[in-house]
Amino acid sequence: MLRTEENIFIIIITAEFIIGVLGNGYIGLVNWIGWIKKKKISSVDFILTNLAISRICLISAMVLNGIIMVLYPDVSETDKLMIAIYTFWTLANYLSMWFATCLNVFYFLKIASFSHPLFLWLKWRIDRVVSWILLGCFAISLLVGLIIVLVFSCDHRFYKIAQHKRNITEMFHMSRIQYFDPMTLFHLLTIVPFAVSLISFFFLVRSLWRHRKQMKLHATGCRDPSGEAHVRAIKIVTSFLLFLFLYYVLSLLVTFRYLMTEPKLAVMFSEIVSILYPLGHSLILVIVNNKLRQAAVRMLTCRKIACVM
């Protein structure tokens, strides 16, 4: 019989799973339909599609991992199934993180305005190398996933050996200490994409400030599409940075849950809030992106007309 907090956890995490899959599935579907109609796809839509797919995988892995850790803690400690889940989570996690970083950099290069030769060189070539950049992100994520397999395989074998020893508790804690270091290192590796996105954010803000300053000197009273594009890009990058920071703080909380007096409650809280990262940022992308927003409006309008008829 499940306790009240466990029932609440299952309800919330199921709702987040449905919303997250539908939101990211919508992004992928809209871009895929556009690809089929036009026989080509823009660089930003290609990045968004890959990002949506990776986040569907990430949300699925997070939900499955959370349910097992809360409802079946013995499985999460001893079963080889968790090695596969952690590997899948790591692969989807790094793919999502790097694809989102690529999106932030793409917006920065396309929208910002600077005269530096390096910036201009990157701006002119970004469309040509997007596919190779995403392929490189996949290769990095796959490599980290393979390392995770080795780390958890060693940890699993160590735990099995400990079961045949007298002082099992001591051996288990030794295994957990071995587990902390590499996992903490993998979390720290996210500083790289976080720093890249942060740099993109600061340069976007600087570009917007310079643009607004020029607009005041040459005020025409006309609509400012460049300024609006800057603001949309800044909103996207800012939301990503905030969600990513929250996500990894809570991921570290789950990693060190064995040091807490109420590890199950810590896991439930962390899992519920952590899913807001792949869910919330994708919803913001739908709201801010003109193509996705207009497609959603058309869909809702058609549905209202169908209901009236």
Side-chain angles (χ1 to χ4, degrees):
M1 189 69 180
L2 297 179
R3 295 185 299 176
T4 303
E5 59 269 23
E6 291 174 347
N7 286 320
I8 295 174
F9 171 76
I10 295 298
I11 293 172
I12 295 176
I13 205 171
T14 301
E16 289 182 324
F17 173 77
I18 294 172
I19 296 172
V21 170
L22 289 177
N24 286 284
Y26 168 78
I27 294 175
L29 182 62
V30 169
N31 290 323
W32 180 75
I33 292 175
W35 192 353
I36 297 298
K37 288 181 178 179
K38 297 179 180 179
K39 305 299 182 181
K40 62 179 181 179
I41 187 170
S42 64
S43 297
V44 65
D45 289 342
F46 187 60
I47 298 174
L48 283 170
T49 302
N50 284 278
L51 176 61
I53 295 172
S54 68
R55 283 185 169 168
I56 291 175
C57 297
L58 176 59
I59 292 172
S60 302
M62 292 175 68
V63 170
L64 182 60
N65 179 54
I67 290 175
I68 290 178
M69 284 197 297
V70 171
L71 302 183
Y72 308 100
D74 293 336
V75 174
S76 66
E77 298 295 352
T78 62
D79 204 287
K80 288 184 177 180
L81 173 65
M82 292 308 297
I83 298 176
I85 293 176
Y86 279 129
T87 303
F88 183 68
W89 172 84
T90 303
L91 179 61
N93 177 51
Y94 274 80
L95 280 175
S96 172
M97 178 179 54
W98 279 108
F99 287 165
T101 303
C102 290
L103 182 65
N104 296 334
V105 174
F106 183 85
Y107 279 133
F108 159 64
L109 292 175
K110 285 295 183 180
I111 294 172
S113 178
F114 293 100
S115 58
H116 193 280
L118 178 59
F119 174 82
L120 296 175
W121 184 84
L122 292 172
K123 187 182 185 73
W124 293 333
R125 287 163 177 78
I126 184 63
D127 286 311
R128 304 176 188 175
V129 297
V130 163
S131 299
W132 290 104
I133 292 174
L134 296 184
L135 184 62
C137 293
F138 179 79
I140 294 173
S141 303
L142 185 61
L143 176 61
V144 176
L146 292 175
I147 295 174
I148 283 288
V149 172
L150 297 176
V151 171
F152 277 95
S153 296
C154 293
D155 187 73
H156 178 73
R157 289 196 296 270
F158 194 87
Y159 181 83
K160 288 297 184 182
I161 294 173
Q163 288 182 320
H164 301 288
K165 303 295 181 180
R166 292 183 179 180
N167 195 349
I168 296 179
T169 304
E170 181 181 352
M171 295 290 287
F172 178 76
H173 286 307
M174 288 174 63
S175 179
R176 289 298 111 196
I177 292 172
Q178 289 184 346
Y179 165 77
F180 283 157
D181 291 340
M183 288 307 300
T184 304
L185 176 61
F186 289 135
H187 288 313
L188 291 177
L189 288 176
T190 59
I191 292 176
V192 177
F194 183 86
V196 172
S197 296
L198 190 62
I199 292 171
S200 300
F201 168 78
F202 282 124
F203 278 114
L204 276 169
V205 171
R206 183 181 177 186
S207 178
L208 176 61
W209 177 78
R210 292 176 59 185
H211 175 75
R212 289 279 173 85
K213 189 175 180 181
Q214 292 176 357
M215 289 295 292
K216 288 181 180 179
L217 295 175
H218 308 283
T220 59
C222 299
R223 184 170 169 266
D224 182 15
S226 178
E228 294 173 1
H230 274 82
V231 172
R232 286 196 300 269
I234 289 172
K235 287 179 180 179
I236 292 173
V237 179
T238 302
S239 63
F240 170 74
L241 291 172
L242 291 176
F243 279 121
L244 184 65
F245 177 78
L246 180 63
Y247 171 67
Y248 273 101
V249 168
L250 294 171
S251 295
L252 287 173
L253 179 63
V254 174
T255 302
F256 293 97
R257 64 188 181 277
Y258 299 98
L259 303 177
M260 301 176 185
T261 56
E262 294 291 340
K264 181 175 284 190
L265 290 177
V267 169
M268 289 191 288
F269 173 77
S270 299
E271 289 293 322
I272 289 173
V273 180
S274 294
I275 297 178
L276 293 177
Y277 156 61
L279 186 158
H281 184 248
S282 295
L283 293 180
I284 290 175
L285 288 174
V286 173
I287 295 172
V288 175
N289 186 281
N290 287 331
K291 177 182 176 180
L292 297 174
R293 185 176 66 252
Q294 291 170 6
V297 171
R298 287 195 301 269
M299 186 184 301
L300 293 174
T301 303
C302 293
R303 187 172 181 178
K304 288 180 180 179
I305 294 174
C307 292
V308 172
M309 296 177 62

